[in-house]
Amino acid sequence: MEEYKKRIVKTIQYINENLDADLSLERIAEISAYSPFHFHRIFKLITGETLQNYIIRKKIEKSAFLLAMYKEIEIKEIYLDLGFSNHSVFTKTFKKYYGVPPSQFRNSAPDQFHKILQTQSKNGQVDTVFSQYICSIENLLNWTKMNLKIEVKEMPEMNLAAVMSLGIVNVEPSYNVLIDWAKKKNLFPRENVKMISVYHDSFKVTPPDKVRIHACMLLDEKLKGIEGEVFSETIDAGKFIVGRGEVTLNDFEQAWVSLFLWMNEHNYSMRRTFPFEVYHSNFKEHPEGKMIVDFCIPIH
Protein backbone atom coordinates (compact mmCIF):
# COMPACT_ATOMS: atom_id res chain seq x y z
CA MET A 1 0.00 0.00 0.00
CA GLU A 2 2.91 2.37 0.73
CA GLU A 3 4.22 2.04 -2.84
CA TYR A 4 0.70 2.62 -4.17
CA LYS A 5 0.38 5.82 -2.14
CA LYS A 6 3.80 7.01 -3.28
CA ARG A 7 2.82 6.70 -6.93
CA ILE A 8 -0.65 8.17 -6.39
CA VAL A 9 0.87 11.21 -4.62
CA LYS A 10 3.07 11.75 -7.68
CA THR A 11 0.12 11.51 -10.09
CA ILE A 12 -2.18 13.72 -8.00
CA GLN A 13 0.54 16.37 -7.90
CA TYR A 14 0.83 16.12 -11.69
CA ILE A 15 -2.94 16.36 -12.21
CA ASN A 16 -3.37 19.39 -9.99
CA GLU A 17 -0.44 21.20 -11.58
CA ASN A 18 -1.57 20.39 -15.15
CA LEU A 19 -5.35 20.79 -15.22
CA ASP A 20 -5.06 22.45 -18.64
CA ALA A 21 -2.96 19.62 -20.15
CA ASP A 22 -3.62 16.12 -21.50
CA LEU A 23 -5.07 14.20 -18.57
CA SER A 24 -6.18 11.05 -20.35
CA LEU A 25 -6.10 7.78 -18.43
CA GLU A 26 -3.24 6.60 -20.63
CA ARG A 27 -1.14 9.70 -19.90
CA ILE A 28 -1.77 9.62 -16.15
CA ALA A 29 -1.10 5.89 -16.00
CA GLU A 30 2.22 6.53 -17.76
CA ILE A 31 3.14 9.09 -15.08
CA SER A 32 2.31 6.59 -12.34
CA ALA A 33 4.18 3.70 -14.03
CA TYR A 34 1.09 1.47 -13.91
CA SER A 35 -1.00 -0.03 -16.68
CA PRO A 36 -4.20 2.00 -17.29
CA PHE A 37 -6.32 -0.84 -15.91
CA HIS A 38 -4.37 -1.23 -12.67
CA PHE A 39 -3.92 2.50 -12.20
CA HIS A 40 -7.67 3.14 -12.47
CA ARG A 41 -8.44 0.57 -9.77
CA ILE A 42 -5.65 1.70 -7.44
CA PHE A 43 -6.56 5.38 -7.82
CA LYS A 44 -10.18 4.73 -6.87
CA LEU A 45 -9.14 2.53 -3.94
CA ILE A 46 -6.94 5.25 -2.45
CA THR A 47 -8.91 8.41 -3.31
CA GLY A 48 -12.45 7.04 -3.21
CA GLU A 49 -13.38 8.30 -6.68
CA THR A 50 -12.60 7.53 -10.30
CA LEU A 51 -9.82 9.35 -12.12
CA GLN A 52 -12.31 11.06 -14.45
CA ASN A 53 -14.50 12.23 -11.57
CA TYR A 54 -11.43 13.52 -9.74
CA ILE A 55 -10.18 15.49 -12.76
CA ILE A 56 -13.59 17.03 -13.48
CA ARG A 57 -14.08 17.91 -9.81
CA LYS A 58 -10.66 19.56 -9.61
CA LYS A 59 -11.33 21.56 -12.77
CA ILE A 60 -14.69 22.74 -11.48
CA GLU A 61 -13.24 23.57 -8.05
CA LYS A 62 -10.46 25.57 -9.69
CA SER A 63 -13.00 27.40 -11.85
CA ALA A 64 -15.07 28.18 -8.72
CA PHE A 65 -12.00 29.58 -6.99
CA LEU A 66 -11.14 31.75 -10.01
CA LEU A 67 -14.74 32.95 -10.32
CA ALA A 68 -14.84 34.02 -6.68
CA MET A 69 -11.34 35.45 -6.32
CA TYR A 70 -10.54 36.92 -9.76
CA LYS A 71 -13.68 38.60 -10.98
CA GLU A 72 -11.83 40.46 -13.72
CA ILE A 73 -11.26 37.19 -15.61
CA GLU A 74 -13.93 36.42 -18.21
CA ILE A 75 -15.90 33.21 -17.66
CA LYS A 76 -15.05 32.08 -21.20
CA GLU A 77 -11.33 32.43 -20.51
CA ILE A 78 -11.69 30.29 -17.37
CA TYR A 79 -13.55 27.39 -18.98
CA LEU A 80 -11.45 27.34 -22.16
CA ASP A 81 -8.21 27.26 -20.12
CA LEU A 82 -9.57 24.27 -18.21
CA GLY A 83 -10.46 22.35 -21.37
CA PHE A 84 -14.24 22.74 -21.53
CA SER A 85 -15.37 22.84 -25.13
CA ASN A 86 -18.09 25.46 -24.76
CA HIS A 87 -20.16 27.53 -22.36
CA SER A 88 -23.05 25.07 -22.32
CA VAL A 89 -20.93 22.07 -21.29
CA PHE A 90 -19.11 24.10 -18.63
CA THR A 91 -22.34 25.55 -17.20
CA LYS A 92 -24.05 22.15 -17.04
CA THR A 93 -21.05 20.57 -15.29
CA PHE A 94 -20.58 23.49 -12.91
CA LYS A 95 -24.26 23.49 -11.96
CA LYS A 96 -24.07 19.77 -11.18
CA TYR A 97 -21.49 20.49 -8.48
CA TYR A 98 -22.66 23.83 -7.10
CA GLY A 99 -26.36 23.97 -7.90
CA VAL A 100 -26.14 27.30 -9.73
CA PRO A 101 -24.61 28.45 -13.05
CA PRO A 102 -21.13 30.05 -12.97
CA SER A 103 -22.39 33.64 -13.36
CA GLN A 104 -24.76 33.27 -10.41
CA PHE A 105 -22.02 31.62 -8.36
CA ARG A 106 -19.72 34.58 -9.03
CA ASN A 107 -22.41 37.10 -8.04
CA SER A 108 -23.35 35.12 -4.92
CA ALA A 109 -19.81 34.69 -3.63
CA PRO A 110 -18.55 38.13 -2.57
CA ASP A 111 -14.94 37.46 -1.69
CA GLN A 112 -14.59 35.58 1.59
CA PHE A 113 -17.88 36.51 3.26
CA HIS A 114 -19.75 33.37 2.25
CA LYS A 115 -19.00 29.70 2.37
CA ILE A 116 -20.45 26.74 0.61
CA LEU A 117 -22.32 24.19 2.66
CA GLN A 118 -23.29 20.72 1.54
CA THR A 119 -26.87 19.79 2.49
CA GLN A 120 -28.62 16.52 1.84
CA SER A 121 -31.98 16.98 0.12
CA LYS A 122 -35.00 14.71 0.64
CA ASN A 123 -34.43 12.75 -2.55
CA GLY A 124 -30.82 11.98 -1.64
CA GLN A 125 -29.27 14.46 -4.06
CA VAL A 126 -26.58 16.75 -2.70
CA ASP A 127 -27.48 20.39 -3.18
CA THR A 128 -24.95 23.16 -2.68
CA VAL A 129 -26.21 26.29 -1.03
CA PHE A 130 -24.67 29.56 0.07
CA SER A 131 -24.88 30.51 3.71
CA GLN A 132 -23.53 33.66 5.31
CA TYR A 133 -21.32 33.25 8.32
CA ILE A 134 -23.16 33.88 11.58
CA CYS A 135 -20.65 36.53 12.58
CA SER A 136 -21.07 39.94 11.01
CA ILE A 137 -18.13 41.67 9.35
CA GLU A 138 -17.86 43.99 12.34
CA ASN A 139 -17.70 41.07 14.78
CA LEU A 140 -15.08 39.36 12.65
CA LEU A 141 -12.91 42.47 12.63
CA ASN A 142 -13.30 42.79 16.39
CA TRP A 143 -12.38 39.12 16.80
CA THR A 144 -9.29 39.72 14.69
CA LYS A 145 -8.16 42.66 16.83
CA MET A 146 -8.68 40.65 20.00
CA ASN A 147 -7.10 37.38 18.87
CA LEU A 148 -4.61 37.91 16.03
CA LYS A 149 -1.51 40.01 15.67
CA ILE A 150 -1.37 40.75 11.93
CA GLU A 151 1.64 41.89 9.93
CA VAL A 152 2.66 41.92 6.27
CA LYS A 153 6.17 40.66 5.73
CA GLU A 154 8.58 39.06 3.33
CA MET A 155 9.29 35.42 4.08
CA PRO A 156 12.16 33.26 2.75
CA GLU A 157 11.84 30.10 0.71
CA MET A 158 10.87 27.13 2.86
CA ASN A 159 11.87 23.55 2.06
CA LEU A 160 9.43 21.04 3.48
CA ALA A 161 8.97 17.33 3.92
CA ALA A 162 5.30 16.62 3.26
CA VAL A 163 2.68 13.89 3.59
CA MET A 164 -0.62 14.33 1.74
CA SER A 165 -3.97 13.90 3.43
CA LEU A 166 -7.41 13.87 1.85
CA GLY A 167 -9.92 15.34 4.30
CA ILE A 168 -9.42 17.20 7.56
CA VAL A 169 -9.84 14.02 9.65
CA ASN A 170 -6.79 12.48 8.00
CA VAL A 171 -4.37 15.29 8.84
CA GLU A 172 -3.31 13.90 12.23
CA PRO A 173 -2.55 10.42 10.83
CA SER A 174 -0.48 12.12 8.09
CA TYR A 175 1.51 13.98 10.75
CA ASN A 176 2.08 10.66 12.54
CA VAL A 177 3.54 9.23 9.32
CA LEU A 178 5.72 12.33 8.91
CA ILE A 179 6.99 12.21 12.50
CA ASP A 180 7.80 8.49 12.27
CA TRP A 181 9.82 9.24 9.12
CA ALA A 182 11.56 12.19 10.81
CA LYS A 183 12.51 10.12 13.86
CA LYS A 184 14.28 7.59 11.62
CA LYS A 185 16.17 10.51 10.04
CA ASN A 186 17.00 12.02 13.47
CA LEU A 187 15.05 15.13 12.47
CA PHE A 188 12.57 14.79 15.32
CA PRO A 189 12.40 15.71 18.11
CA ARG A 190 14.69 18.73 17.87
CA GLU A 191 14.68 22.28 19.17
CA ASN A 192 12.38 24.75 17.38
CA VAL A 193 11.08 22.18 14.89
CA LYS A 194 8.30 23.74 12.81
CA MET A 195 5.23 21.86 11.62
CA ILE A 196 3.26 23.41 8.77
CA SER A 197 -0.09 22.57 7.14
CA VAL A 198 -0.40 23.66 3.50
CA TYR A 199 -3.92 23.92 2.06
CA HIS A 200 -4.02 22.83 -1.57
CA ASP A 201 -7.80 23.15 -1.73
CA SER A 202 -10.25 25.67 -0.33
CA PHE A 203 -13.06 24.67 2.02
CA LYS A 204 -15.10 27.26 0.10
CA VAL A 205 -15.27 25.07 -2.98
CA THR A 206 -14.16 21.57 -1.90
CA PRO A 207 -16.09 19.19 0.39
CA PRO A 208 -14.29 18.77 3.77
CA ASP A 209 -13.64 15.07 3.18
CA LYS A 210 -11.85 15.82 -0.09
CA VAL A 211 -9.83 18.90 0.86
CA ARG A 212 -6.16 18.21 0.14
CA ILE A 213 -3.92 19.24 3.05
CA HIS A 214 -0.19 18.56 3.20
CA ALA A 215 1.19 17.82 6.66
CA CYS A 216 4.70 19.28 6.54
CA MET A 217 7.91 19.75 8.50
CA LEU A 218 10.38 22.56 7.81
CA LEU A 219 13.80 21.27 6.73
CA ASP A 220 17.20 22.91 6.51
CA GLU A 221 17.77 21.44 3.04
CA LYS A 222 15.52 20.36 0.18
CA LEU A 223 14.42 16.73 0.30
CA LYS A 224 15.49 14.75 -2.74
CA GLY A 225 12.97 12.35 -4.20
CA ILE A 226 10.02 10.59 -2.57
CA GLU A 227 10.58 8.42 0.51
CA GLY A 228 7.52 6.28 1.09
CA GLU A 229 4.62 8.68 1.64
CA VAL A 230 6.99 11.59 2.31
CA PHE A 231 7.78 13.94 -0.55
CA SER A 232 9.40 17.33 -1.06
CA GLU A 233 7.41 20.56 -1.12
CA THR A 234 8.60 24.14 -1.41
CA ILE A 235 6.95 27.37 -0.30
CA ASP A 236 8.40 30.10 -2.50
CA ALA A 237 9.81 33.25 -0.96
CA GLY A 238 7.52 36.27 -1.14
CA LYS A 239 5.15 38.63 0.65
CA PHE A 240 2.64 37.22 3.12
CA ILE A 241 -0.06 38.38 5.48
CA VAL A 242 0.73 36.62 8.75
CA GLY A 243 -1.84 36.50 11.53
CA ARG A 244 -0.45 35.05 14.77
CA GLY A 245 -2.69 34.04 17.64
CA GLU A 246 -3.11 31.63 20.53
CA VAL A 247 -6.18 29.69 19.41
CA THR A 248 -8.05 26.42 19.80
CA LEU A 249 -8.94 24.09 16.93
CA ASN A 250 -12.46 25.54 16.99
CA ASP A 251 -11.06 29.01 16.21
CA PHE A 252 -9.33 28.04 12.96
CA GLU A 253 -12.23 28.70 10.60
CA GLN A 254 -12.92 32.09 12.16
CA ALA A 255 -9.21 32.95 12.05
CA TRP A 256 -9.00 32.24 8.33
CA VAL A 257 -12.22 34.09 7.49
CA SER A 258 -11.23 37.14 9.50
CA LEU A 259 -7.72 37.17 7.98
CA PHE A 260 -9.10 37.09 4.43
CA LEU A 261 -11.49 39.86 5.46
CA TRP A 262 -8.52 41.88 6.75
CA MET A 263 -6.77 41.26 3.41
CA ASN A 264 -9.72 42.69 1.48
CA GLU A 265 -10.15 45.63 3.86
CA HIS A 266 -6.50 46.59 3.27
CA ASN A 267 -6.68 46.15 -0.52
CA TYR A 268 -4.31 43.22 -0.85
CA SER A 269 -4.91 40.39 -3.31
CA MET A 270 -3.95 36.76 -2.94
CA ARG A 271 -1.25 35.22 -5.11
CA ARG A 272 -2.18 32.06 -7.00
CA THR A 273 -0.50 29.76 -4.53
CA PHE A 274 -1.43 28.08 -1.28
CA PRO A 275 -2.14 29.46 2.21
CA PHE A 276 -0.63 27.62 5.16
CA GLU A 277 -0.43 27.40 8.94
CA VAL A 278 2.77 27.32 11.03
CA TYR A 279 2.47 25.77 14.50
CA HIS A 280 4.66 27.11 17.28
CA SER A 281 3.23 24.97 20.08
CA ASN A 282 1.17 21.80 20.58
CA PHE A 283 -2.47 22.11 21.67
CA LYS A 284 -2.22 18.71 23.39
CA GLU A 285 0.28 20.19 25.84
CA HIS A 286 -1.98 23.13 26.81
CA PRO A 287 -4.62 22.73 29.57
CA GLU A 288 -7.20 24.61 27.48
CA GLY A 289 -6.25 23.02 24.16
CA LYS A 290 -4.67 26.21 22.82
CA MET A 291 -1.70 26.61 20.50
CA ILE A 292 0.25 29.45 18.94
CA VAL A 293 -0.34 29.48 15.16
CA ASP A 294 0.71 31.68 12.25
CA PHE A 295 -2.02 31.85 9.58
CA CYS A 296 -0.25 32.83 6.34
CA ILE A 297 -1.76 34.17 3.12
CA PRO A 298 0.52 34.73 0.07
CA ILE A 299 -0.16 38.15 -1.45
CA HIS A 300 1.07 40.39 -4.28
Side-chain angles (χ1 to χ4, degrees):
M1 182 62 74
E2 183 176 303
E3 180 62 24
Y4 289 168
K5 289 184 177 180
K6 177 179 175 180
R7 296 194 194 183
I8 294 298
V9 163
K10 180 180 178 181
T11 55
I12 285 177
Q13 284 181 305
Y14 178 83
I15 291 168
N16 286 284
E17 291 169 4
N18 296 276
L19 287 172
D20 57 348
D22 172 22
L23 295 176
S24 63
L25 174 59
E26 289 72 20
R27 174 57 181 153
I28 300 301
E30 182 184 341
I31 296 292
S32 71
Y34 282 116
S35 71
F37 175 76
H38 283 100
F39 173 78
H40 192 273
R41 296 186 66 183
I42 293 164
F43 186 91
K44 187 173 182 181
L45 175 68
I46 292 177
T47 66
E49 58 188 325
T50 66
L51 175 65
Q52 186 64 18
N53 285 347
Y54 180 84
I55 291 171
I56 292 173
R57 179 172 64 79
K58 296 311 299 179
K59 288 186 175 188
I60 292 298
E61 287 171 4
K62 183 173 182 179
S63 73
F65 178 79
L66 294 174
L67 286 165
M69 294 296 295
Y70 300 95
K71 297 187 178 182
E72 71 279 6
I73 302 178
E74 294 289 337
I75 292 178
K76 183 177 181 179
E77 181 180 346
I78 292 173
Y79 73 70
L80 288 178
D81 283 347
L82 291 172
F84 291 94
S85 57
N86 57 58
H87 187 274
S88 177
V89 171
F90 174 61
T91 298
K92 183 178 179 180
T93 309
F94 191 96
K95 194 171 180 180
K96 176 182 174 183
Y97 281 84
Y98 293 116
V100 295
S103 56
Q104 186 177 336
F105 178 95
R106 170 171 272 177
N107 294 333
S108 302
D111 300 320
Q112 303 295 333
F113 307 151
H114 292 73
K115 68 175 179 179
I116 298 169
L117 298 176
Q118 295 284 343
T119 59
Q120 193 75 17
S121 66
K122 292 180 181 178
N123 62 2
Q125 296 296 315
V126 176
D127 297 320
T128 306
V129 297
F130 291 102
S131 173
Q132 285 188 311
Y133 282 108
I134 297 172
C135 297
S136 67
I137 292 174
E138 183 179 352
N139 286 341
L140 281 171
L141 288 172
N142 287 336
W143 188 92
T144 306
K145 291 176 184 176
M146 293 285 291
N147 294 279
L148 294 180
K149 178 186 176 183
I150 300 177
E151 57 181 329
V152 176
K153 62 181 182 180
E154 295 286 337
M155 296 176 68
E157 179 181 86
M158 287 181 273
N159 294 312
L160 310 174
V163 174
M164 185 178 66
S165 64
L166 290 174
I168 191 74
V169 297
N170 293 315
V171 174
E172 186 171 354
S174 293
Y175 270 111
N176 291 338
V177 171
L178 181 64
I179 289 171
D180 287 345
W181 170 85
K183 285 179 178 177
K184 294 174 184 176
K185 297 281 187 178
N186 294 319
L187 297 172
F188 186 92
R190 57 191 168 96
E191 189 177 357
N192 296 323
V193 64
K194 290 289 187 297
M195 297 296 186
I196 298 172
S197 290
V198 182
Y199 290 84
H200 286 256
D201 293 311
S202 169
F203 284 96
K204 285 173 62 63
V205 294
T206 304
D209 64 333
K210 290 185 169 63
V211 168
R212 197 163 42 98
I213 303 170
H214 289 181
C216 302
M217 177 184 294
L218 183 63
L219 303 177
D220 293 330
E221 297 180 354
K222 189 177 181 66
L223 179 67
K224 296 180 180 179
I226 298 177
E227 300 183 14
E229 293 181 55
V230 182
F231 56 92
S232 175
E233 179 157 7
T234 301
I235 296 175
D236 292 332
K239 185 185 291 185
F240 293 83
I241 296 173
V242 180
R244 175 174 293 193
E246 188 175 32
V247 296
T248 67
L249 291 174
N250 291 333
D251 294 324
F252 273 46
E253 183 180 35
Q254 194 162 21
W256 278 116
V257 173
S258 62
L259 199 62
F260 275 112
L261 175 61
W262 189 95
M263 178 185 77
N264 292 327
E265 289 284 308
H266 291 78
N267 298 315
Y268 290 106
S269 58
M270 182 178 170
R271 279 187 279 131
R272 292 194 190 185
T273 185
F274 309 110
F276 58 92
E277 299 158 354
V278 183
Y279 311 116
H280 297 280
S281 63
N282 188 342
F283 73 95
K284 293 182 179 179
E285 299 172 358
H286 193 282
E288 298 176 19
K290 292 183 176 181
M291 56 185 150
I292 299 172
V293 182
D294 287 347
F295 299 90
C296 305
I297 301 175
I299 57 172
H300 294 289

